[in-house]
Amino acid sequence: MNLSGGNNKPPATISAKYPASFRETLPPFHSPFLAANAENMNSQYIPVSAQSAQQTDSAHFTGAGHYERLPLMPGNGEVAVAHVHFPPSVFTDWHSHAQGQYLIVTEGTGRFQEWGEPQQTIRKGDVVWIPPHAKHWHGAGEYTAMSHIALSPAKENAVQWFEKAMPEAEKNPAAIEPVTTEKLTAPQLAILPVAIAVAQGNQACVKTAIENALQTGLTVNEIKESITHQFAYIGAPKMLNGINTLKALIEARQQQGIDDETGKTATDLGAVDYYQSGTEKLAALSRRPTPITCFCLCAVGRLCHKGTTVRLPVQP
C-alpha cells in the first residue's frame, strides 16, 4: 500500500492475545530498546496515585481521552511509553509515526483501522504493530471504552496528522440478533409463569408452571436455562430449588412413559471473557456507552464491581 513518499509499506498487524513467543512474532523497533549501560540503572515503582493524567489533544482526537506518560526506556534507542484511555466513541484522527508504534490493549474493546483496510475490533490482550509511515487511527468502540499501552521510539519518530477519522457504524458489534416485531409465541410466554414461580419459591406453583411450559412445546433445556439465568437476581437457593423441582418432575414423567424433548444444549463459546462480552451486549442493546464491565458475580454470592466486593443478600 502506497502511504507516503511512494514507498510501499507493510500493513499493520494484530496479534491475537500475545503468546509466550511474543518477542519472536512481532517485529522490533528500528533501534534497540536498551543499551548496555541500562543495566546499572535503578528500578522505579510508580503507583497509580503518582501517575499524572493528561488530557488528549482535542485538535487530533474526536472526544476527550486521557493518558499517563511513563518514564522512558533508556538507551541508545529510548522508547516512549504511555497508557492511553479512550472513553466510548473517543478516537484519534488519521495519523502516522515515522518509526512505527506498538499498541497493547489493556482493557475494554476498541477499534483500529489502517488506511485502505477494513476497520478491526481490538480487545483486551490484543497487540497491534503499526509500521513506519502507516496511516491509521485507533480508539474506543462506539459504546465501549478501551485502554492501551503505546510503545514508540522516543527520538526521530515524528507524528504526522491527517484528516478526521470517520468510523463506520458498528453493525451488531456484540452479534445480537435483530429484534422482531412479531408477537411472542406460546412457548415464549410460558417462560414467564416459570420465572415468577421460581422467584416466589413455591415449588407446587413451579411444578405446575413447568408442566404447562412443557405442554406448549418448551424443551427441558430451555426451561432449565430460564431457571438458571435467574441466579443473579434471586440467589442460588431459589434457583437450585427450581432446578431440583424440574429434575424431579422430568424423572416422574419418564416413569409414566412421557418422553419430554431434551432440546439443544447451551452454546459453548470457548475461551471467552463472559463479563466483557455481556458488557458489549448491554451496550449494543441499550445503545448507550458502557465504559466498564458492569459487574462480576462470584461463586460465593458476592458482587464485584471495579475492585469493590459487596456480599449479596441470600434469601431462603
Side-chain angles (χ1 to χ4, degrees):
M1 180 177 3
N2 195 333
L3 293 173
S4 175
N7 295 322
N8 291 324
K9 304 297 180 181
T13 56
I14 294 183
S15 166
K17 310 299 180 188
Y18 46 94
S21 56
F22 172 80
R23 294 182 181 177
E24 289 76 27
T25 57
L26 295 174
F29 287 130
H30 289 183
S31 53
F33 274 5
L34 297 173
N37 59 5
E39 296 179 358
N40 299 322
M41 303 187 71
N42 295 326
S43 300
Q44 296 185 55
Y45 166 63
I46 310 170
V48 173
S49 58
Q51 298 175 24
S52 177
Q54 305 176 55
Q55 292 296 314
T56 54
D57 187 351
S58 60
H60 302 303
F61 280 69
T62 295
H66 67 279
Y67 64 96
E68 295 89 30
R69 180 68 70 183
L70 304 177
L72 291 177
M73 296 177 66
N76 294 334
E78 292 181 331
V79 175
V81 185
H83 199 187
V84 190
H85 311 278
F86 298 83
S89 291
V90 175
F91 47 87
T92 70
D93 293 349
W94 287 100
H95 63 287
S96 66
H97 304 271
Q99 294 193 55
Q101 184 182 58
Y102 273 121
L103 302 179
I104 304 175
V105 183
T106 57
E107 288 293 339
T109 302
R111 295 170 288 183
F112 169 84
Q113 186 175 20
E114 186 182 3
W115 188 262
E117 300 294 335
Q119 180 176 296
Q120 300 187 58
T121 299
I122 53 177
R123 295 181 172 84
K124 180 179 179 179
D126 289 345
V127 176
V128 184
W129 160 246
I130 304 163
H133 304 291
K135 184 176 177 180
H136 68 284
W137 68 270
H138 48 93
E142 188 174 1
Y143 304 105
T144 54
M146 185 272 291
S147 297
H148 66 56
I149 291 175
L151 299 171
S152 308
K155 298 179 180 179
E156 299 180 359
N157 191 33
V159 178
Q160 184 174 2
W161 293 100
F162 303 101
E163 66 269 30
K164 289 285 184 182
M166 301 288 289
E168 299 175 4
E170 296 183 26
K171 300 178 181 179
N172 291 328
I176 295 173
E177 296 180 0
V179 177
T180 178
T181 57
E182 298 178 359
K183 294 181 179 180
L184 294 176
T185 64
Q188 290 171 334
L189 289 171
I191 292 175
L192 298 178
V194 173
I196 293 171
V198 171
Q200 291 176 338
N202 187 324
Q203 299 310 306
C205 293
V206 172
K207 178 181 177 182
T208 300
I210 292 175
E211 288 175 332
N212 292 335
L214 290 169
Q215 290 178 2
T216 65
L218 277 179
T219 67
V220 174
N221 281 337
E222 287 171 338
I223 297 174
K224 184 187 299 181
E225 286 198 37
S226 69
I227 296 175
T228 56
H229 284 181
Q230 292 183 265
F231 165 75
Y233 310 101
I234 64 175
K238 286 186 175 180
M239 182 271 291
L240 291 174
N241 287 339
I243 290 295
N244 288 334
T245 298
L246 170 64
K247 180 181 178 182
L249 177 60
I250 297 302
E251 291 176 350
R253 288 167 66 90
Q254 288 175 344
Q255 292 175 1
Q256 299 170 14
I258 302 174
D259 187 16
D260 295 299
E261 182 182 353
T262 302
K264 296 188 300 183
T265 58
T267 303
D268 183 4
L269 300 180
V272 173
D273 185 335
Y274 288 99
Y275 298 112
Q276 178 62 31
S277 176
T279 300
E280 294 178 30
K281 290 182 184 295
L282 175 62
L285 281 170
S286 63
R287 296 297 172 184
R288 297 178 60 186
T290 306
I292 60 173
T293 300
C294 299
F295 59 83
C296 169
L297 275 171
C298 302
V300 294
R302 294 181 296 178
L303 181 66
C304 306
H305 180 265
K306 204 175 182 179
T308 301
T309 301
V310 180
R311 181 170 293 278
L312 296 175
V314 178
Q315 299 178 355

